[in-house]
Amino acid sequence: MTPKNSLAAAHIGVAVAAFAVASAMGVLQGLSIADIEFPQRSESFYYMSVTAHGVLMALVFTTFFIMGLGYAFAQACLGRIKGRGLAWFAFWLALVGSTAAAVTILRGQSTVLYTFYPPLQAHPLFYIGATLLIVGSWIWGGVIIASFRSWRRDHPGVPAPLAIHGTIANIIIWYLATAGLAMEVLFMLIPWSLGWVETIDPMVARILFWWFGHPLVYFWLLPAYVLWYTVLPKVAGGRLFSDSLGRMVFILFVLLSTPVGFHHQFSDPGISAGWKFTHTITTFAILYPSFVTAFTVIASLEVAGRMKGARGLFNWIGKLPWGDPFFAAIALAMIAFTFGGFGGAINAAYAMNSMVHNTAWIMGHFHITLGTTAALSFMGGAYWLLPRILGRELRFRGLARLQPYLWFAGMSLFSISYHIAGLRGLPRRVYSATLTGEYGGDWQGLTVIAAVGGTILFLSALSFSIVVLATWTSGRRIDPPAFELAVALKPATSLGIWDRFGLWTIVAIVLVALAYAYPLITLLMHPRFGSPPYQPF
Amino acid sequence: MSVELYERIWMWAAGALIAVFIGVISVTSALQAVQPPSHIETVDPTALASHAEFAEPAVKTNPDGSVVVSVVAEMFVFRPDPIEVPVGKPVTFRLTSGDVIHGFQVVGTNANAMAVPGYVSQFTVTFKTPGEHLIACNEYCGLAHHNMVGKIIVK
């Protein structure tokens, strides 16, 4: 029996609350784009809701969930959380910051979308609140690393449990990524929003944002991969196929996550073609660890099916626990990622990117990657985690079983429609797909299908929120089940090259410097003109 | 690190696939000059009204027949509008913004660039067939973002 973990639970609770609000915002956007009327529909509500949905989903839901999962694994795998008081301080800091930012968004004072590109200017509390969230997450990373070092002193020469290995790798990615964001927010956006400086350079800010913005997606993906590698094979009743390749995968993400940001800026001025090309190569390279993951995780599931007696080529698939809410959520998240990954390869090829850049295709793309691969993994993770950290049995198990399938169905309608609409030219983030009221013949029907998908997604999100709330408040009290993680076919017994976090961190810093120093310095040396602030909302 | 045979085959195959991706984009980049629009030129966004080129953005034809189109994107219009360009000739767009970041997407083509205040985006397109295209702003720029459209007439 493991003790309850209120620190982890508090983080998961905030994550789910943010998710619930954000999903309500999401469905209303889907209706608005399809030009379906509802009472609150207006331009200002629509663009506010895009901002709220993006910030709450991409920054608040994910960061809090990842922090909670990290604390849960630290407690379960290391038997300790060093600096619990500091961890609670970080929780409140992040919560106060997120709430402050959210209030300015909901009041319509920060309708700048989650990318907050200047010279659009939000309320100063938007930037300051976001900073507190990030500072909270930095402290979280420090607490986990301190716990790991303490464990290491007691276990010299023993490889870290794989879940911890992935978590530490993710913390390194997060520190590298948020360095760019910190430069943008602390040195540019906050002084400018407080009126201390009059103008801002939008290109420098954009480059720093995407320094952060792409590794951000790996910050979401790695915790999902940790669940896939360490929990999924166990729930499926099998073994982890390869422990050492899991470690290699996590380290490859540490190296390659950050030096890729220009693939979001193929259409931007101010960056030379050669540097865009360089980031294209690194973007293709980062497909590799995901290809390896696909094999290892699916092979682990085949092992599970065969241990249950499956014989033929494919009938092990039928032996898997498709009725388990955790398993279903993760398996569907993995299926989504096969499509999302190839979509990502298309986006990385800049010639094709110019057909889809900033169109609805991109919305379709990141809703099957972030919105399904990561988010559905987190929902499944919550079903698995809650009994273990709350000491309560999952309520409404039937609803929890159905929910991942609802999500997958809704997302298929939503994502496929927007992919096609984007290819036909529907620009992203529009209040109405008819634009001025005179366009949209090529894509209006598709946006209606996407709205139906969005409605199904909302029902799924509602089901998830109800299961979590009911479990939390009225789940039957039980002894918390153990954190049983998958045993590898060949467990790692000694420290290897992929366990050397210090070495790989240095290599990663060098790669980030190589990818960004020259293009940034070139731009900074160029005569540049700043922009005054605008608040057209 | 011992890796099982099938997984080893998969890893080589995945590496080969990525090598093909990188090879294709390298060859087209080097031999056919297929490259993303990349141009480093700055302009004062607060002084466009007195700028030689962007005060009155327009379509200009060079003596050699090539065409340069200067475009200013501003809340919530593109200037000039409509833009008339010849069919089958290289058309170089020079694009900037007078306020926030906008997008310039010629729907149905691969002409797609960001209009960033303080910077000039430049790219060249050849329209192969006559007709009309919608220009849509594809970067959120304020409450009338979806109303920000323009027209290109190719003839």
Side-chain angles (χ1 to χ4, degrees):
Chain A
M1 178 190 144
T2 47
K4 286 190 278 188
N5 189 336
S6 52
L7 182 63
H11 285 81
I12 304 292
V14 173
V16 175
F19 173 83
V21 176
S23 40
M25 296 291 177
V27 66
L28 295 178
Q29 282 165 63
L31 296 176
S32 184
I33 294 172
D35 222 31
I36 298 167
E37 284 298 335
F38 55 91
Q40 275 73 39
R41 186 172 183 239
S42 71
E43 285 87 346
S44 58
F45 179 82
Y46 170 78
Y47 291 108
M48 183 283 286
S49 75
V50 179
T51 308
H53 181 78
V55 170
L56 288 175
M57 284 294 193
L59 298 176
V60 182
F61 161 60
T62 48
T63 306
F64 272 92
F65 185 88
I66 291 163
M67 292 196 286
L69 190 66
Y71 286 134
F73 278 128
Q75 185 66 58
C77 302
L78 304 175
R80 72 200 75 196
I81 292 172
K82 283 284 163 194
R84 204 173 274 272
L86 198 59
W88 276 110
F89 169 73
F91 169 78
W92 287 108
L93 197 67
L95 180 58
V96 167
S98 305
T99 309
V103 167
T104 73
I105 294 169
L106 296 172
R107 286 167 60 94
Q109 297 165 312
S110 301
T111 303
V112 293
L113 308 198
Y114 107 99
T115 45
F116 48 84
Y117 295 137
L120 290 172
Q121 191 184 63
H123 192 283
L125 276 179
F126 173 86
Y127 305 114
I128 294 168
T131 303
L132 296 183
L133 169 62
I134 300 298
V135 171
S137 73
W138 285 346
I139 299 173
W140 161 78
V143 169
I144 303 278
I145 290 174
S147 311
F148 173 62
R149 292 173 76 97
S150 158
W151 177 89
R152 163 63 68 226
R153 279 191 291 278
D154 296 347
H155 302 80
V158 181
L162 187 57
I164 295 298
H165 187 282
T167 306
I168 300 280
N170 205 25
I171 290 167
I172 300 169
I173 291 173
W174 189 235
Y175 285 149
L176 285 173
T178 48
L181 183 71
M183 283 186 261
E184 183 196 3
V185 174
L186 297 181
F187 300 138
M188 300 180 74
L189 290 169
I190 289 180
W192 175 67
S193 73
L194 291 170
W196 299 344
V197 293
E198 283 174 10
T199 62
I200 194 163
D201 187 317
M203 262 324 292
V204 175
R206 250 171 106 81
I207 290 175
L208 292 174
F209 180 82
W210 286 114
W211 166 326
F212 158 77
H214 200 76
L216 173 64
V217 312
Y218 298 107
F219 177 65
W220 303 325
L221 187 64
L222 257 67
Y225 276 15
V226 165
L227 291 169
W228 300 7
Y229 274 99
T230 67
V231 183
L232 181 72
K234 181 74 195 175
V235 171
R239 299 267 191 277
L240 172 60
F241 193 75
S242 176
D243 178 281
S244 53
L245 284 182
R247 287 168 205 270
M248 179 193 82
V249 162
F250 291 136
I251 295 299
L252 287 178
F253 279 115
V254 170
L255 299 182
L256 293 170
S257 285
T258 308
V260 295
F262 291 167
H263 76 234
H264 290 263
Q265 300 183 276
F266 287 143
S267 303
D268 283 14
I271 306 166
S272 70
W275 284 103
K276 289 179 180 177
F277 180 81
T278 309
H279 284 219
T280 304
I281 303 298
T282 46
T283 305
F284 282 134
I286 206 168
L287 294 173
Y288 186 72
S290 289
F291 275 123
V292 175
T293 299
F295 187 98
T296 305
V297 175
I298 294 171
S300 304
L301 296 181
E302 182 175 347
V303 170
R306 300 216 180 277
M307 284 170 72
K308 290 176 178 171
R311 301 221 170 269
L313 207 50
F314 291 114
N315 65 354
W316 55 271
I317 298 172
K319 298 269 184 193
L320 299 173
W322 293 96
D324 179 89
F326 170 84
F327 181 87
I330 303 286
L332 295 171
M334 287 166 47
I335 293 169
F337 203 45
T338 54
F339 297 101
F342 278 102
I346 290 171
N347 299 342
Y350 43 73
M352 287 191 275
N353 183 285
S354 62
M355 283 303 291
V356 297
H357 172 71
N358 268 358
T359 67
W361 165 286
I362 302 297
M363 287 141 65
H365 171 69
F366 67 70
H367 278 87
I368 47 169
T369 48
L370 161 63
T372 306
T373 309
L376 195 52
S377 291
F378 291 176
M379 288 182 252
Y383 294 142
W384 179 80
L385 206 54
L386 285 176
R388 287 167 173 77
I389 58 177
L390 292 176
R392 286 178 183 273
E393 202 171 65
L394 207 62
R395 284 291 310 272
F396 301 129
R397 215 179 153 76
L399 195 61
R401 262 194 207 118
L402 176 68
Q403 182 269 329
Y405 294 97
L406 263 184
W407 190 271
F408 191 79
M411 194 57 87
S412 300
L413 293 176
F414 179 92
S415 177
I416 293 169
S417 305
Y418 277 150
H419 271 95
I420 300 170
L423 280 177
R424 292 184 185 174
L426 171 61
R428 75 191 277 195
R429 298 159 164 167
V430 286
Y431 164 72
S432 161
T434 65
L435 304 181
T436 58
E438 299 151 43
Y439 299 93
D442 289 342
W443 51 67
Q444 186 61 24
L446 290 163
T447 62
V448 174
I449 299 173
V452 172
T455 308
I456 297 171
L457 283 169
F458 177 67
L459 293 176
S460 175
L462 198 63
S463 309
F464 170 70
S465 309
I466 289 170
V467 171
V468 171
L469 188 65
T471 301
W472 206 296
T473 54
S474 64
R476 192 166 61 86
R477 286 180 192 280
I478 50 170
D479 284 343
F483 275 68
E484 289 186 313
L485 301 183
V487 176
L489 286 176
K490 275 183 243 156
T493 49
S494 59
L495 290 171
I497 185 75
W498 305 116
D499 293 297
R500 299 187 60 183
F501 289 114
L503 168 72
W504 296 120
T505 305
I506 293 167
V507 177
I509 291 171
V510 170
L511 288 175
V512 175
L514 285 175
Y516 275 105
Y518 187 83
L520 255 181
I521 291 170
T522 313
L523 192 60
L524 291 173
M525 306 266 283
H526 208 276
R528 293 169 299 122
F529 302 91
S531 287
Y534 292 90
Q535 294 178 319
F537 47 82
Chain B
M1 192 166 64
S2 74
V3 179
E4 211 261 351
L5 175 66
Y6 287 132
E7 183 146 33
R8 201 185 293 263
I9 294 169
W10 171 270
M11 287 165 75
W12 279 106
L17 182 63
I18 291 169
V20 168
F21 287 171
I22 292 175
V24 168
I25 208 152
S26 302
V27 167
T28 55
S29 174
L31 301 183
Q32 303 175 348
V34 176
Q35 282 157 2
S38 305
H39 183 69
I40 306 181
E41 179 184 341
T42 53
V43 58
D44 187 350
T46 59
L48 291 185
S50 55
H51 191 273
E53 177 183 359
F54 291 110
E56 299 289 338
V59 182
K60 294 192 184 75
T61 307
N62 292 326
D64 65 355
S66 65
V67 176
V68 176
V69 184
S70 307
V71 181
V72 173
E74 276 171 337
M75 293 173 207
F76 295 98
V77 291
F78 296 102
R79 291 188 293 132
D81 185 29
I83 298 170
E84 278 195 29
V85 295
V87 67
K89 294 223 170 71
V91 178
T92 297
F93 288 90
R94 289 172 50 77
L95 171 69
T96 193
S97 162
D99 40 51
V100 300
I101 298 177
H102 299 278
F104 181 90
Q105 175 193 345
V106 183
V107 172
T109 75
N110 65 357
N112 194 340
M114 308 308 297
V116 182
Y119 292 82
V120 179
S121 294
Q122 184 173 303
F123 56 97
T124 303
V125 186
T126 304
F127 295 95
K128 297 211 169 100
T129 50
E132 284 187 15
H133 292 282
L134 164 69
I135 305 170
C137 173
N138 61 15
E139 185 64 80
Y140 164 72
C141 54
L143 293 189
H145 160 55
H146 53 286
N147 285 329
M148 184 163 167
V149 296
K151 190 190 283 182
I152 285 192
I153 301 168
V154 184
K155 62 181 183 188

